[in-house]
């Protein structure tokens, strides 16, 4: 059986966008991971998108509840395009993702931010069973919002991750559809920002969300795709962050 690293690198090299008029992304990432300090982190790596160049991003929620997204592409063509209205800041900067083992990788942002994050992934009977089901589903099924809503409602308890939202609306107003194909749990992780250690993995006392996208109460790493409604200035907010120049 291929290692997690091999599967991820294969997904990176073969990433492709399906057909459609919506805004499409293909890749992998950590849906979200919370720590005993009250910080939350998430990560996205999309080698290909329909709105701009591929990019990497790190989402950071501070204990105060404020969110910042760091990405190596401009906000208008990265995650802030959809989540900007809920952010304190959107920062464009280099983001490095390095695989350090067959099931481990690290994420770093340089000295100006001084963000470090190490993760180890694990397969379990639950993740293997769900991956087998997800990998076998026809693509059209994962475009159906009713199916995605039912999958999200059922998957949260099965994964012991709290509420999961695979479809709904993001803070900037676009509808989203998350289409996972393979998944693993984050079994170990350490993180710091500016030398401050985030402590141990621990669910938040109250689960957090950005629009209808709920941050899991357990670390989940996914390979898959996502799509969003095409930007309509009459209905959707721009990528700019409130209060930013």
């Amino acid at each position: 059986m291929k290692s997690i690293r091999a599967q991820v690198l294969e997904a990176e090299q073969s990433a492709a966008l399906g057909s459609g008029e919506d805004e499409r992304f293909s890749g992998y990432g950590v849906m979200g991971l919370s720590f005993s300090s009250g910080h939350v982190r998430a990560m996205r790596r999309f080698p290909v998108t329909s709105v701009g160049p591929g990019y990497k991003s790190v989402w950071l929620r501070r204990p105060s509840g404020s969110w910042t997204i760091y990405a190596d592409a401009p906000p208008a063509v990265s995650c802030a395009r959809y989540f900007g209205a809920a952010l304190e800041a959107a920062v464009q900067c280099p983001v490095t993702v390095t695989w350090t083992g067959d099931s481990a990788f690290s994420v770093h942002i340089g000295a100006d931010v001084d963000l470090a994050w190490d993760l180890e992934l694990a397969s379990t009977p639950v993740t293997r069973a769900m991956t087998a089901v997800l990998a076998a589903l026809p693509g059209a099924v994962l475009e159906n919002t009713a199916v995605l809503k039912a999958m999200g409602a059922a998957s949260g308890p099965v994964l012991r991750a709290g509420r999961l939202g695979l479809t709904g609306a993001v803070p900037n107003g676009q509808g989203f559809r998350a289409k996972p194909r393979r998944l693993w749990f984050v079994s170990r992780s350490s993180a710091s920002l500016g030398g401050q250690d985030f402590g141990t993995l621990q669910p938040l006392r109250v689960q957090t969300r950005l629009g209808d996208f709920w941050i899991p109460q357990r670390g989940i790493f996914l390979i898959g795709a996502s799509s969003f409604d095409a930007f309509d200035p009459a209905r959707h907010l721009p990528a700019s962050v409130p209060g930013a120049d």
Side-chain angles (χ1 to χ4, degrees):
M1 180 180 294
K2 292 181 181 178
S3 68
I4 299 174
R5 175 182 182 177
Q7 293 180 64
V8 171
L9 295 181
E10 182 180 79
E12 172 129 11
Q13 293 165 2
S14 63
L17 300 176
S19 60
E21 299 299 321
D22 52 1
E23 299 181 353
R24 287 152 285 132
F25 298 73
S26 178
Y28 56 88
V30 179
M31 291 184 70
L33 193 63
S34 57
F35 294 84
S36 56
S37 62
H39 290 86
V40 177
R41 280 205 182 155
M43 185 275 287
R44 303 290 185 271
R45 166 55 179 153
F46 292 120
V48 294
T49 88
S50 66
V51 299
Y55 69 91
K56 300 178 289 293
S57 68
V58 174
W59 304 10
L60 171 67
R61 177 190 180 271
R62 291 174 170 81
S64 64
S66 67
W67 284 91
T68 298
I69 289 182
Y70 304 90
D72 59 6
V77 292
S78 57
C79 296
R81 182 179 180 88
Y82 310 103
F83 297 92
L87 304 180
E88 180 178 72
V91 180
Q92 185 178 356
C93 59
V95 178
T96 303
V97 177
T98 305
W99 283 85
T100 57
D102 284 343
S103 60
F105 67 98
S106 62
V107 182
H108 289 92
I109 299 178
D112 289 347
V113 177
D114 191 17
L115 181 150
W117 189 12
D118 295 314
L119 304 98
E120 186 170 336
L121 309 178
S123 176
T124 72
V126 169
T127 63
R128 287 192 291 271
M130 290 196 69
T131 292
V133 171
L134 292 169
L137 289 176
V141 173
L142 292 179
E143 296 292 341
N144 187 307
T145 55
V147 171
L148 290 175
K149 186 173 292 186
M151 285 174 55
S155 298
V158 170
L159 296 171
R160 299 181 182 178
R163 294 188 63 174
L164 291 183
L166 298 181
T167 188
V170 290
N172 283 25
Q174 298 96 326
F176 75 92
R177 294 154 294 282
K179 295 167 273 192
R181 287 296 191 177
R182 285 174 271 179
L183 64 90
W184 297 265
F185 287 134
V186 176
S187 57
R188 295 181 183 178
S189 184
S190 61
S192 64
L193 179 68
Q196 178 190 0
D197 186 86
F198 286 6
T200 58
L201 296 181
Q202 180 177 301
L204 294 178
R205 184 177 60 83
V206 178
Q207 189 175 0
T208 190
R209 61 176 174 148
L210 289 164
D212 292 326
F213 183 81
W214 289 85
I215 305 298
Q217 291 281 62
R218 182 177 191 177
I220 299 172
F221 180 91
L222 296 175
I223 294 175
S226 59
S227 61
F228 299 82
D229 295 345
F231 180 73
D232 179 349
R235 297 188 298 122
H236 305 142
L237 299 174
S240 58
V241 176
D245 293 334

